Amino acid sequence: MSLGDILVQRKKITAEQLAEARNARKGPQDRIERILVEKGFAKERDVLEIIGEQLSIPVVDLANIRIDADLLKLIPPKVVHRYRMLPISKENGTIRIATANAFDLYAFDELRMLTGTKVEPVLASEAEIKRAIKQFYGVGGQTIDEMIGESEIEVVSDVEEQDADLIEQAQEATVVKLVNEILLEAIRDRASDVHIEPYEDALRIRYRIDGVLHTTNVPPQIRRFQAAIISRIKILSNLNIAEKRLPQDGGFKIKTGNREIDLRVSIIPTSFGEGVVMRILDKQSVLISLGELGLQDEAFEGFNKLIHQPFGIILVTGPTGSGKTTTLYASLNAVKSDKIKILTVEDPVEYHLDGINQVQIQPKIGLTFASGLRSFLRHDPDVILVGEIRDLETAETAINASLTGHLVFSTLHTNDAVTSTTRLLDMGVEPFLVSSSIEGVLAQRLVRKICPDCKEPFKPDVDKLPKDLIEMLEPGHSLYQGKGCRECRNTGYRGRMGLFELLMVNDELREMIVKHCSATEILSVARKQGLKLMREDGWAKVLGGTTTVEEINRVTKSM
Protein backbone atom coordinates (compact mmCIF):
# COMPACT_ATOMS: atom_id res chain seq x y z
CA MET A 1 0.00 0.00 0.00
CA SER A 2 1.34 3.43 -0.95
CA LEU A 3 2.02 6.12 1.62
CA GLY A 4 -0.88 8.21 0.32
CA ASP A 5 -3.29 5.29 0.63
CA ILE A 6 -2.14 4.64 4.21
CA LEU A 7 -2.82 8.30 5.09
CA VAL A 8 -6.34 7.95 3.65
CA GLN A 9 -6.88 4.67 5.53
CA ARG A 10 -5.83 6.32 8.81
CA LYS A 11 -8.13 9.28 8.04
CA LYS A 12 -5.25 11.74 8.06
CA ILE A 13 -6.28 12.98 4.58
CA THR A 14 -9.27 12.47 2.28
CA ALA A 15 -9.30 10.57 -1.01
CA GLU A 16 -10.06 13.85 -2.81
CA GLN A 17 -6.96 15.47 -1.29
CA LEU A 18 -4.81 12.52 -2.35
CA ALA A 19 -6.18 12.74 -5.91
CA GLU A 20 -5.46 16.47 -6.03
CA ALA A 21 -1.87 15.89 -4.81
CA ARG A 22 -1.32 13.19 -7.44
CA ASN A 23 -2.56 15.53 -10.18
CA ALA A 24 -0.13 18.19 -8.95
CA ARG A 25 2.90 15.94 -9.48
CA LYS A 26 5.09 17.18 -12.32
CA GLY A 27 7.21 14.06 -12.52
CA PRO A 28 8.49 11.04 -10.59
CA GLN A 29 10.97 13.28 -8.73
CA ASP A 30 8.03 15.02 -6.98
CA ARG A 31 7.33 12.87 -3.94
CA ILE A 32 3.65 12.64 -3.08
CA GLU A 33 4.21 13.13 0.66
CA ARG A 34 6.01 16.46 0.08
CA ILE A 35 3.12 17.74 -2.05
CA LEU A 36 0.58 16.68 0.61
CA VAL A 37 2.52 18.58 3.30
CA GLU A 38 3.09 21.67 1.13
CA LYS A 39 -0.62 21.89 0.31
CA GLY A 40 -1.50 21.59 4.01
CA PHE A 41 -3.43 18.35 3.51
CA ALA A 42 -1.19 16.25 5.77
CA LYS A 43 0.95 16.94 8.81
CA GLU A 44 4.65 16.29 8.35
CA ARG A 45 4.77 14.34 11.61
CA ASP A 46 2.10 11.89 10.36
CA VAL A 47 4.03 11.37 7.12
CA LEU A 48 7.31 10.79 8.96
CA GLU A 49 5.74 8.21 11.28
CA ILE A 50 4.46 6.16 8.33
CA ILE A 51 7.84 6.33 6.55
CA GLY A 52 9.52 5.38 9.83
CA GLU A 53 7.26 2.32 10.15
CA GLN A 54 7.91 1.25 6.56
CA LEU A 55 11.70 1.65 6.75
CA SER A 56 12.13 0.81 10.47
CA ILE A 57 13.66 4.23 11.19
CA PRO A 58 12.83 5.95 14.50
CA VAL A 59 11.14 9.37 14.51
CA VAL A 60 12.54 11.93 16.99
CA ASP A 61 11.57 15.36 18.29
CA LEU A 62 14.69 17.56 18.04
CA ALA A 63 13.27 19.99 20.59
CA ASN A 64 13.69 17.29 23.26
CA ILE A 65 17.16 16.12 22.19
CA ARG A 66 20.44 17.57 23.45
CA ILE A 67 22.66 17.88 20.36
CA ASP A 68 26.38 17.30 20.84
CA ALA A 69 28.01 20.52 19.57
CA ASP A 70 31.45 18.84 19.28
CA LEU A 71 29.96 16.28 16.91
CA LEU A 72 29.02 19.04 14.47
CA LYS A 73 32.72 19.71 13.83
CA LEU A 74 33.09 16.31 12.14
CA ILE A 75 30.92 17.33 9.18
CA PRO A 76 31.60 20.43 7.01
CA PRO A 77 28.82 23.06 7.29
CA LYS A 78 28.39 23.00 3.49
CA VAL A 79 27.34 19.35 3.65
CA VAL A 80 24.91 20.00 6.51
CA HIS A 81 23.29 22.87 4.58
CA ARG A 82 23.25 21.01 1.25
CA TYR A 83 21.51 17.85 2.49
CA ARG A 84 19.64 19.36 5.47
CA MET A 85 21.01 16.56 7.64
CA LEU A 86 22.18 17.14 11.20
CA PRO A 87 24.39 14.89 13.35
CA ILE A 88 22.79 14.64 16.79
CA SER A 89 24.68 11.93 18.75
CA LYS A 90 27.38 9.27 18.59
CA GLU A 91 27.03 5.88 20.25
CA ASN A 92 29.31 2.82 19.91
CA GLY A 93 31.09 4.36 16.92
CA THR A 94 27.83 5.08 15.06
CA ILE A 95 26.67 8.64 14.30
CA ARG A 96 22.94 9.29 14.38
CA ILE A 97 21.90 11.73 11.64
CA ALA A 98 18.56 13.57 11.71
CA THR A 99 16.96 13.95 8.29
CA ALA A 100 13.54 14.65 6.79
CA ASN A 101 14.42 12.70 3.61
CA ALA A 102 15.08 9.04 4.31
CA PHE A 103 15.43 8.26 0.60
CA ASP A 104 18.60 10.33 -0.10
CA LEU A 105 20.99 7.37 -0.04
CA TYR A 106 23.74 9.32 -1.84
CA ALA A 107 23.88 11.77 1.06
CA PHE A 108 24.28 8.96 3.61
CA ASP A 109 27.14 7.46 1.53
CA GLU A 110 28.91 10.85 1.42
CA LEU A 111 28.55 11.26 5.19
CA ARG A 112 30.04 7.77 5.76
CA MET A 113 33.04 8.69 3.61
CA LEU A 114 33.54 12.05 5.35
CA THR A 115 33.31 10.71 8.89
CA GLY A 116 34.80 7.25 8.35
CA THR A 117 32.14 5.80 10.64
CA LYS A 118 28.81 4.06 10.37
CA VAL A 119 25.84 6.42 9.89
CA GLU A 120 22.36 5.68 11.26
CA PRO A 121 19.45 7.90 10.12
CA VAL A 122 16.60 9.10 12.33
CA LEU A 123 13.60 11.05 11.05
CA ALA A 124 12.74 14.61 12.17
CA SER A 125 10.61 17.36 10.69
CA GLU A 126 12.26 19.62 8.12
CA ALA A 127 11.25 22.72 10.08
CA GLU A 128 12.94 21.41 13.24
CA ILE A 129 16.11 20.54 11.32
CA LYS A 130 16.23 24.02 9.74
CA ARG A 131 15.73 25.60 13.17
CA ALA A 132 18.54 23.53 14.68
CA ILE A 133 20.90 24.33 11.78
CA LYS A 134 20.26 28.06 12.29
CA GLN A 135 20.80 27.64 16.03
CA PHE A 136 24.22 26.01 15.63
CA TYR A 137 25.50 27.42 12.34
CA GLY A 138 23.83 30.85 12.41
CA VAL A 139 21.28 32.68 10.23
CA GLY A 140 22.57 32.78 6.65
CA GLY A 141 25.33 30.26 7.36
CA GLN A 142 25.02 28.53 3.98
CA THR A 143 25.07 31.87 2.14
CA ILE A 144 28.16 33.00 4.08
CA ASP A 145 29.93 29.75 3.09
CA GLU A 146 29.12 30.41 -0.56
CA MET A 147 30.39 34.00 -0.30
CA ILE A 148 33.64 32.94 1.36
CA GLY A 149 34.14 30.28 -1.31
CA GLU A 150 34.06 32.95 -4.02
CA SER A 151 37.36 34.53 -2.95
CA GLU A 152 40.35 33.26 -1.04
CA ILE A 153 41.78 36.80 -0.58
CA GLU A 154 40.51 39.17 2.12
CA VAL A 155 41.37 42.89 2.04
CA VAL A 156 42.15 43.97 5.61
CA SER A 157 43.49 47.51 5.07
CA ASP A 158 41.14 50.50 5.39
CA VAL A 159 40.76 51.30 1.69
CA GLU A 160 37.92 53.61 0.60
CA GLU A 161 35.73 51.59 -1.75
CA GLN A 162 34.35 53.23 -4.88
CA ASP A 163 30.61 53.73 -5.11
CA ALA A 164 30.37 51.60 -8.24
CA ASP A 165 32.20 48.72 -6.51
CA LEU A 166 29.91 48.96 -3.49
CA ILE A 167 26.81 48.92 -5.67
CA GLU A 168 28.09 45.94 -7.64
CA GLN A 169 28.96 44.03 -4.47
CA ALA A 170 25.63 44.86 -2.82
CA GLN A 171 23.68 43.61 -5.85
CA GLU A 172 25.41 40.22 -5.99
CA ALA A 173 22.99 37.31 -5.64
CA THR A 174 24.66 35.99 -2.48
CA VAL A 175 24.43 39.35 -0.68
CA VAL A 176 20.81 39.75 -1.76
CA LYS A 177 20.08 36.23 -0.46
CA LEU A 178 21.84 36.91 2.86
CA VAL A 179 19.84 40.10 3.55
CA ASN A 180 16.64 38.25 2.58
CA GLU A 181 17.46 35.45 5.04
CA ILE A 182 18.05 37.94 7.87
CA LEU A 183 14.67 39.59 7.19
CA LEU A 184 12.81 36.30 6.71
CA GLU A 185 14.12 34.93 10.00
CA ALA A 186 13.01 38.14 11.78
CA ILE A 187 9.50 37.87 10.32
CA ARG A 188 9.25 34.18 11.26
CA ASP A 189 10.26 35.04 14.82
CA ARG A 190 7.60 37.81 14.99
CA ALA A 191 10.30 40.47 15.51
CA SER A 192 9.31 44.14 15.52
CA ASP A 193 12.86 45.42 14.86
CA VAL A 194 16.13 44.16 13.39
CA HIS A 195 19.34 45.67 14.85
CA ILE A 196 22.58 45.33 12.86
CA GLU A 197 25.42 46.51 15.11
CA PRO A 198 29.09 46.65 14.03
CA TYR A 199 31.85 46.17 16.62
CA GLU A 200 35.60 45.98 16.30
CA ASP A 201 35.77 42.22 15.69
CA ALA A 202 32.16 41.24 15.05
CA LEU A 203 28.87 42.15 13.41
CA ARG A 204 26.01 41.49 15.81
CA ILE A 205 22.40 41.00 14.68
CA ARG A 206 19.62 41.27 17.25
CA TYR A 207 15.84 40.88 16.91
CA ARG A 208 13.37 42.66 19.19
CA ILE A 209 10.71 40.07 19.95
CA ASP A 210 7.79 40.96 22.22
CA GLY A 211 9.63 44.11 23.29
CA VAL A 212 12.86 42.36 24.36
CA LEU A 213 16.08 42.15 22.31
CA HIS A 214 17.48 38.70 21.46
CA THR A 215 20.90 38.17 19.87
CA THR A 216 20.60 35.81 16.92
CA ASN A 217 23.34 33.38 16.06
CA VAL A 218 25.29 34.33 12.90
CA PRO A 219 28.58 32.96 11.51
CA PRO A 220 31.59 35.03 12.68
CA GLN A 221 32.69 35.47 9.04
CA ILE A 222 29.67 37.74 8.44
CA ARG A 223 31.85 40.67 9.65
CA ARG A 224 33.72 40.53 6.32
CA PHE A 225 30.53 41.35 4.41
CA GLN A 226 29.38 44.24 6.62
CA ALA A 227 29.80 46.91 3.90
CA ALA A 228 27.95 44.82 1.31
CA ILE A 229 25.02 44.08 3.68
CA ILE A 230 24.58 47.73 4.67
CA SER A 231 24.94 48.90 1.05
CA ARG A 232 22.23 46.42 0.01
CA ILE A 233 19.88 47.81 2.69
CA LYS A 234 20.66 51.39 1.55
CA ILE A 235 19.90 50.53 -2.08
CA LEU A 236 16.57 48.98 -1.06
CA SER A 237 15.75 52.09 1.01
CA ASN A 238 16.74 54.59 -1.72
CA LEU A 239 19.51 56.04 0.47
CA ASN A 240 22.91 57.43 -0.49
CA ILE A 241 25.35 54.51 -0.23
CA ALA A 242 28.38 56.86 -0.38
CA GLU A 243 27.29 58.84 2.70
CA LYS A 244 28.74 57.21 5.82
CA ARG A 245 29.15 60.24 8.08
CA LEU A 246 25.54 61.34 8.60
CA PRO A 247 22.42 59.52 9.87
CA GLN A 248 19.96 58.51 7.15
CA ASP A 249 16.32 57.39 7.23
CA GLY A 250 14.39 55.53 4.56
CA GLY A 251 12.29 52.47 3.98
CA PHE A 252 11.12 49.79 1.58
CA LYS A 253 8.40 47.17 1.17
CA ILE A 254 8.71 43.40 0.88
CA LYS A 255 6.24 40.62 0.17
CA THR A 256 6.39 37.20 1.81
CA GLY A 257 3.63 34.71 1.12
CA ASN A 258 0.42 36.74 0.91
CA ARG A 259 1.65 39.42 3.32
CA GLU A 260 2.98 42.85 2.38
CA ILE A 261 5.35 44.20 5.03
CA ASP A 262 6.76 47.73 5.26
CA LEU A 263 10.24 48.27 6.70
CA ARG A 264 11.38 51.60 8.13
CA VAL A 265 15.15 51.92 8.05
CA SER A 266 17.37 54.11 10.24
CA ILE A 267 21.16 54.22 9.75
CA ILE A 268 23.64 55.98 12.05
CA PRO A 269 27.46 56.25 11.92
CA THR A 270 29.26 54.44 14.77
CA SER A 271 32.91 53.89 15.69
CA PHE A 272 33.23 50.65 13.69
CA GLY A 273 30.89 51.32 10.79
CA GLU A 274 27.24 52.10 10.26
CA GLY A 275 24.59 50.72 12.59
CA VAL A 276 21.20 49.80 11.13
CA VAL A 277 17.78 49.43 12.73
CA MET A 278 14.89 48.18 10.60
CA ARG A 279 11.39 48.54 12.03
CA ILE A 280 9.07 45.81 10.70
CA LEU A 281 5.56 47.13 10.13
CA ASP A 282 3.26 44.19 9.55
CA LYS A 283 -0.28 45.37 8.81
CA GLN A 284 -1.74 42.02 9.94
CA SER A 285 -0.24 42.42 13.41
CA VAL A 286 -1.76 45.85 14.06
CA LEU A 287 -5.26 45.45 12.64
CA ILE A 288 -6.84 43.89 15.71
CA SER A 289 -10.14 44.56 17.41
CA LEU A 290 -10.69 46.36 20.71
CA GLY A 291 -11.43 43.04 22.39
CA GLU A 292 -8.00 41.66 21.40
CA LEU A 293 -6.06 44.55 22.96
CA GLY A 294 -6.43 43.23 26.50
CA LEU A 295 -9.05 45.72 27.75
CA GLN A 296 -11.19 44.04 30.39
CA ASP A 297 -14.59 44.59 32.01
CA GLU A 298 -15.12 48.24 33.07
CA ALA A 299 -12.17 49.52 31.04
CA PHE A 300 -13.47 47.87 27.86
CA GLU A 301 -17.03 49.10 28.39
CA GLY A 302 -15.85 52.61 29.31
CA PHE A 303 -13.46 53.01 26.37
CA ASN A 304 -15.99 51.55 23.91
CA LYS A 305 -18.49 54.14 25.15
CA LEU A 306 -15.92 56.96 24.80
CA ILE A 307 -15.01 56.24 21.18
CA HIS A 308 -18.66 56.38 20.16
CA GLN A 309 -19.14 59.89 21.58
CA PRO A 310 -20.12 62.53 18.95
CA PHE A 311 -17.36 64.97 19.97
CA GLY A 312 -14.55 65.58 22.46
CA ILE A 313 -10.92 64.53 22.83
CA ILE A 314 -9.81 61.00 23.72
CA LEU A 315 -6.15 60.69 24.67
CA VAL A 316 -4.01 57.54 24.68
CA THR A 317 -0.83 57.97 26.72
CA GLY A 318 2.33 56.01 27.37
CA PRO A 319 6.01 55.88 26.42
CA THR A 320 7.34 55.02 22.95
CA GLY A 321 6.61 51.40 22.06
CA SER A 322 3.69 50.99 24.45
CA GLY A 323 1.16 50.16 21.72
CA LYS A 324 -0.59 53.54 21.44
CA THR A 325 -0.77 53.38 17.62
CA THR A 326 -2.31 49.89 17.72
CA THR A 327 -4.96 51.07 20.21
CA LEU A 328 -5.81 54.13 18.09
CA TYR A 329 -6.09 52.07 14.89
CA ALA A 330 -8.30 49.53 16.67
CA SER A 331 -10.49 52.45 17.82
CA LEU A 332 -10.76 53.89 14.30
CA ASN A 333 -11.66 50.47 12.90
CA ALA A 334 -14.37 50.16 15.56
CA VAL A 335 -16.03 53.48 14.66
CA LYS A 336 -15.49 53.69 10.88
CA SER A 337 -18.51 53.35 8.61
CA ASP A 338 -19.80 54.69 5.30
CA LYS A 339 -21.73 57.36 7.19
CA ILE A 340 -18.73 59.20 8.71
CA LYS A 341 -15.48 60.66 7.38
CA ILE A 342 -12.24 59.93 9.23
CA LEU A 343 -9.01 61.89 8.68
CA THR A 344 -5.62 61.23 10.28
CA VAL A 345 -2.41 63.27 10.42
CA GLU A 346 0.55 61.12 11.46
CA ASP A 347 4.36 61.10 11.71
CA PRO A 348 4.86 58.79 9.91
CA VAL A 349 1.88 56.88 8.49
CA GLU A 350 2.85 53.43 9.75
CA TYR A 351 -0.08 51.41 8.41
CA HIS A 352 -2.55 52.21 5.64
CA LEU A 353 -6.17 51.71 6.67
CA ASP A 354 -8.98 51.12 4.18
CA GLY A 355 -11.70 53.76 4.16
CA ILE A 356 -9.64 56.31 6.13
CA ASN A 357 -7.83 59.35 4.68
CA GLN A 358 -4.30 59.50 6.09
CA VAL A 359 -1.81 62.37 5.82
CA GLN A 360 1.88 62.26 6.73
CA ILE A 361 3.37 65.45 8.15
CA GLN A 362 6.23 67.13 6.25
CA PRO A 363 7.78 69.77 8.57
CA LYS A 364 10.33 70.81 5.90
CA ILE A 365 7.55 72.20 3.71
CA GLY A 366 5.42 73.51 6.58
CA LEU A 367 2.99 70.60 6.92
CA THR A 368 2.93 70.09 10.70
CA PHE A 369 0.37 68.51 13.02
CA ALA A 370 -1.14 71.95 13.70
CA SER A 371 -1.26 73.15 10.07
CA GLY A 372 -2.59 69.81 8.86
CA LEU A 373 -5.25 69.84 11.54
CA ARG A 374 -6.38 73.35 10.57
CA SER A 375 -6.75 72.23 6.95
CA PHE A 376 -8.69 69.14 8.07
CA LEU A 377 -11.44 71.28 9.59
CA ARG A 378 -12.25 72.61 6.09
CA HIS A 379 -12.47 69.02 4.82
CA ASP A 380 -15.73 68.23 6.67
CA PRO A 381 -14.51 65.32 8.87
CA ASP A 382 -16.44 63.60 11.65
CA VAL A 383 -13.48 61.91 13.35
CA ILE A 384 -9.87 63.18 13.42
CA LEU A 385 -6.73 61.38 14.56
CA VAL A 386 -3.75 63.58 15.49
CA GLY A 387 -0.64 61.40 15.79
CA GLU A 388 0.74 63.27 18.80
CA ILE A 389 0.13 66.50 20.72
CA ARG A 390 3.66 67.90 20.98
CA ASP A 391 3.17 71.64 21.46
CA LEU A 392 0.72 74.37 22.45
CA GLU A 393 -0.34 75.11 18.86
CA THR A 394 -1.30 71.49 18.15
CA ALA A 395 -3.05 71.17 21.53
CA GLU A 396 -5.17 74.30 21.02
CA THR A 397 -6.07 73.35 17.43
CA ALA A 398 -7.13 69.85 18.56
CA ILE A 399 -9.21 71.29 21.41
CA ASN A 400 -10.92 73.78 19.10
CA ALA A 401 -11.72 70.92 16.70
CA SER A 402 -13.36 68.96 19.52
CA LEU A 403 -15.35 71.99 20.68
CA THR A 404 -16.73 72.53 17.17
CA GLY A 405 -18.31 69.08 17.05
CA HIS A 406 -15.51 66.69 16.06
CA LEU A 407 -14.33 63.54 17.81
CA VAL A 408 -10.54 63.82 18.17
CA PHE A 409 -8.12 60.99 18.99
CA SER A 410 -4.53 61.75 19.94
CA THR A 411 -1.54 60.65 22.03
CA LEU A 412 0.63 62.16 24.76
CA HIS A 413 3.87 60.97 26.33
CA THR A 414 2.94 60.70 30.02
CA ASN A 415 3.44 57.92 32.56
CA ASP A 416 -0.18 57.61 33.69
CA ALA A 417 -3.67 58.86 32.90
CA VAL A 418 -4.09 61.69 35.42
CA THR A 419 -0.85 63.51 34.54
CA SER A 420 -2.08 64.01 30.95
CA THR A 421 -4.38 66.84 32.06
CA THR A 422 -1.62 68.62 33.98
CA ARG A 423 0.72 68.09 31.00
CA LEU A 424 -1.67 70.04 28.76
CA LEU A 425 -1.86 72.81 31.36
CA ASP A 426 1.95 72.93 31.51
CA MET A 427 2.01 73.38 27.71
CA GLY A 428 0.03 76.58 28.24
CA VAL A 429 -3.50 75.44 27.37
CA GLU A 430 -6.18 77.30 29.34
CA PRO A 431 -7.69 75.14 32.13
CA PHE A 432 -11.29 75.77 30.97
CA LEU A 433 -10.40 74.51 27.47
CA VAL A 434 -8.86 71.30 28.86
CA SER A 435 -11.79 70.61 31.19
CA SER A 436 -14.43 71.18 28.52
CA SER A 437 -12.78 69.09 25.78
CA ILE A 438 -11.17 65.99 27.39
CA GLU A 439 -13.64 63.11 27.59
CA GLY A 440 -11.25 60.37 28.71
CA VAL A 441 -7.61 59.29 28.93
CA LEU A 442 -6.33 55.75 28.42
CA ALA A 443 -2.81 55.06 29.74
CA GLN A 444 -1.16 51.81 28.70
CA ARG A 445 1.92 49.58 28.71
CA LEU A 446 2.74 46.31 26.95
CA VAL A 447 3.63 43.08 28.74
CA ARG A 448 4.58 39.68 27.35
CA LYS A 449 2.04 36.86 27.52
CA ILE A 450 2.91 33.41 28.86
CA CYS A 451 3.52 30.98 26.00
CA PRO A 452 0.40 28.77 25.72
CA ASP A 453 2.46 25.75 24.57
CA CYS A 454 4.64 25.51 27.69
CA LYS A 455 2.42 27.21 30.28
CA GLU A 456 2.43 25.50 33.68
CA PRO A 457 1.07 26.29 37.17
CA PHE A 458 3.28 26.75 40.23
CA LYS A 459 2.83 27.61 43.91
CA PRO A 460 4.46 31.01 44.53
CA ASP A 461 6.60 31.90 47.54
CA VAL A 462 4.25 34.46 49.09
CA ASP A 463 7.07 36.21 50.99
CA LYS A 464 8.73 37.17 47.69
CA LEU A 465 5.58 38.60 46.08
CA PRO A 466 4.81 42.37 46.00
CA LYS A 467 2.57 43.53 48.84
CA ASP A 468 -0.16 44.87 46.54
CA LEU A 469 -0.42 41.45 44.85
CA ILE A 470 -0.53 39.56 48.16
CA GLU A 471 -3.63 41.59 49.12
CA MET A 472 -5.41 40.28 46.00
CA LEU A 473 -4.08 36.69 46.24
CA GLU A 474 -6.34 34.07 47.76
CA PRO A 475 -4.67 31.37 49.92
CA GLY A 476 -3.50 28.39 47.87
CA HIS A 477 -4.00 30.21 44.55
CA SER A 478 -1.60 29.01 41.80
CA LEU A 479 0.19 31.36 39.44
CA TYR A 480 1.49 30.46 35.98
CA GLN A 481 4.78 30.61 34.13
CA GLY A 482 6.24 29.45 30.82
CA LYS A 483 8.69 26.54 31.07
CA GLY A 484 10.30 27.44 27.72
CA CYS A 485 9.88 25.60 24.42
CA ARG A 486 10.85 25.88 20.77
CA GLU A 487 7.70 27.89 19.97
CA CYS A 488 8.78 30.72 22.29
CA ARG A 489 12.58 30.39 21.75
CA ASN A 490 12.78 29.02 25.33
CA THR A 491 11.78 32.40 26.80
CA GLY A 492 8.46 31.23 28.29
CA TYR A 493 6.66 34.14 26.57
CA ARG A 494 4.90 34.52 23.23
CA GLY A 495 2.95 37.57 22.13
CA ARG A 496 2.04 40.72 24.03
CA MET A 497 -1.02 42.40 25.47
CA GLY A 498 -1.80 45.74 27.08
CA LEU A 499 -2.12 46.91 30.66
CA PHE A 500 -4.61 49.74 30.87
CA GLU A 501 -5.70 52.58 33.11
CA LEU A 502 -8.84 54.43 31.98
CA LEU A 503 -9.68 57.86 33.40
CA MET A 504 -13.23 58.94 32.57
CA VAL A 505 -13.50 62.72 33.03
CA ASN A 506 -16.72 63.67 34.84
CA ASP A 507 -18.06 66.99 36.21
CA GLU A 508 -16.18 66.75 39.52
CA LEU A 509 -12.86 66.17 37.75
CA ARG A 510 -13.60 68.99 35.28
CA GLU A 511 -14.00 71.41 38.19
CA MET A 512 -10.66 70.26 39.63
CA ILE A 513 -8.94 70.83 36.26
CA VAL A 514 -10.38 74.36 36.05
CA LYS A 515 -9.03 75.03 39.56
CA HIS A 516 -5.60 73.83 38.39
CA CYS A 517 -5.50 71.00 40.96
CA SER A 518 -2.40 68.80 41.01
CA ALA A 519 -2.23 65.32 39.49
CA THR A 520 -2.04 63.82 43.01
CA GLU A 521 -5.32 65.49 44.02
CA ILE A 522 -7.03 64.41 40.79
CA LEU A 523 -5.76 60.84 41.30
CA SER A 524 -7.14 60.74 44.84
CA VAL A 525 -10.64 61.71 43.69
CA ALA A 526 -10.50 59.44 40.63
CA ARG A 527 -9.54 56.47 42.83
CA LYS A 528 -12.59 57.08 45.01
CA GLN A 529 -14.69 57.08 41.84
CA GLY A 530 -13.34 53.65 40.88
CA LEU A 531 -10.20 54.31 38.79
CA LYS A 532 -8.27 51.04 38.37
CA LEU A 533 -4.52 51.55 38.06
CA MET A 534 -2.38 49.86 35.42
CA ARG A 535 -0.57 47.86 38.09
CA GLU A 536 -3.88 46.57 39.44
CA ASP A 537 -4.94 45.61 35.91
CA GLY A 538 -1.61 43.78 35.68
CA TRP A 539 -2.20 41.81 38.88
CA ALA A 540 -5.65 40.80 37.60
CA LYS A 541 -3.96 39.39 34.50
CA VAL A 542 -1.33 37.61 36.61
CA LEU A 543 -4.08 35.97 38.68
CA GLY A 544 -5.89 35.11 35.43
CA GLY A 545 -2.80 33.22 34.25
CA THR A 546 -1.98 35.31 31.18
CA THR A 547 1.28 36.99 32.32
CA THR A 548 3.82 36.89 35.15
CA VAL A 549 4.79 38.91 38.22
CA GLU A 550 8.17 39.71 36.63
CA GLU A 551 6.50 41.33 33.61
CA ILE A 552 4.30 43.59 35.75
CA ASN A 553 7.29 44.65 37.85
CA ARG A 554 9.22 45.35 34.62
CA VAL A 555 6.75 47.88 33.20
CA THR A 556 4.98 49.39 36.23
CA LYS A 557 6.15 51.24 39.32
CA SER A 558 5.53 49.75 42.77
CA MET A 559 3.18 51.75 44.99
Side-chain angles (χ1 to χ4, degrees), residues 44-254:
E44 187 178 11
R45 186 80 183 183
D46 294 334
V47 170
L48 289 176
E49 286 176 356
I50 293 172
I51 293 173
E53 289 172 12
Q54 291 181 327
L55 302 179
S56 299
I57 299 175
V59 180
V60 299
D61 185 350
L62 288 186
N64 298 326
I65 290 178
R66 186 177 178 276
I67 296 173
D68 185 354
D70 293 331
L71 190 61
L72 302 178
K73 299 173 185 176
L74 296 177
I75 300 175
K78 284 185 180 180
V79 176
V80 172
H81 287 297
R82 186 189 307 143
Y83 297 122
R84 297 268 169 81
M85 292 184 174
L86 190 72
I88 57 174
S89 65
K90 186 175 183 181
E91 295 175 9
N92 302 321
T94 300
I95 297 177
R96 299 177 81 209
I97 302 287
T99 179
N101 184 4
F103 304 101
D104 194 349
L105 303 179
Y106 178 82
F108 295 127
D109 289 340
E110 185 171 344
L111 289 172
R112 286 189 192 97
M113 291 173 61
L114 284 170
T115 59
T117 59
K118 186 180 176 183
V119 171
E120 178 185 294
V122 296
L123 291 173
S125 83
E126 190 170 351
E128 287 178 3
I129 292 172
K130 285 181 181 178
R131 189 181 288 113
I133 289 173
K134 283 176 182 172
Q135 178 185 346
F136 289 103
Y137 293 95
V139 176
Q142 182 179 8
T143 308
I144 293 289
D145 284 340
E146 291 172 11
M147 293 163 80
I148 291 171
E150 291 169 2
S151 173
E152 295 179 0
I153 300 172
E154 179 186 358
V155 178
V156 293
S157 58
D158 291 330
V159 179
E160 198 66 36
E161 295 180 80
Q162 297 297 316
D163 294 353
D165 294 338
L166 268 178
I167 292 172
E168 185 179 349
Q169 189 183 10
Q171 298 290 52
E172 288 177 1
T174 47
V175 176
V176 171
K177 183 181 176 185
L178 179 58
V179 172
N180 288 350
E181 285 182 22
I182 291 169
L183 292 175
L184 193 60
E185 184 70 7
I187 292 164
R188 284 174 181 160
D189 284 346
R190 304 173 296 102
S192 60
D193 301 84
V194 179
H195 293 242
I196 301 176
E197 303 165 330
Y199 295 94
E200 186 173 9
D201 301 314
L203 184 70
R204 184 163 71 162
I205 297 179
R206 296 197 286 172
Y207 298 149
R208 188 176 293 280
I209 303 169
D210 295 333
V212 178
L213 281 169
H214 298 268
T215 300
T216 193
N217 187 21
V218 292
Q221 300 94 329
I222 198 172
R223 178 72 173 83
R224 291 165 53 178
F225 306 99
Q226 175 183 324
I229 292 168
I230 293 171
S231 295
R232 170 63 181 165
I233 293 168
K234 284 183 176 181
I235 289 169
L236 288 170
S237 308
N238 290 319
L239 300 177
N240 182 0
I241 70 164
E243 180 56 73
K244 299 180 179 66
R245 301 164 300 169
L246 293 173
Q248 296 188 71
D249 293 313
F252 59 97
K253 185 178 288 187
I254 61 173

Side-chain angles (χ1 to χ4, degrees), residues 472-503:
M472 301 172 65
L473 189 67
E474 295 179 3
H477 193 288
S478 292
L479 300 183
Y480 290 84
Q481 62 186 5
K483 185 172 61 175
C485 64
R486 65 171 178 262
E487 297 298 328
C488 62
R489 294 171 60 106
N490 291 312
T491 61
Y493 298 99
R494 197 168 87 222
R496 288 191 290 177
M497 65 179 176
L499 301 185
F500 298 97
E501 178 179 303
L502 179 64
L503 176 69

Side-chain angles (χ1 to χ4, degrees), residues 4 7-9 11-20 36 41:
L7 285 168
V8 173
Q9 186 186 61
K11 296 183 179 179
K12 301 296 183 182
I13 62 171
T14 64
E16 291 78 13
Q17 289 172 332
L18 178 58
E20 185 178 334
L36 287 167
F41 295 158

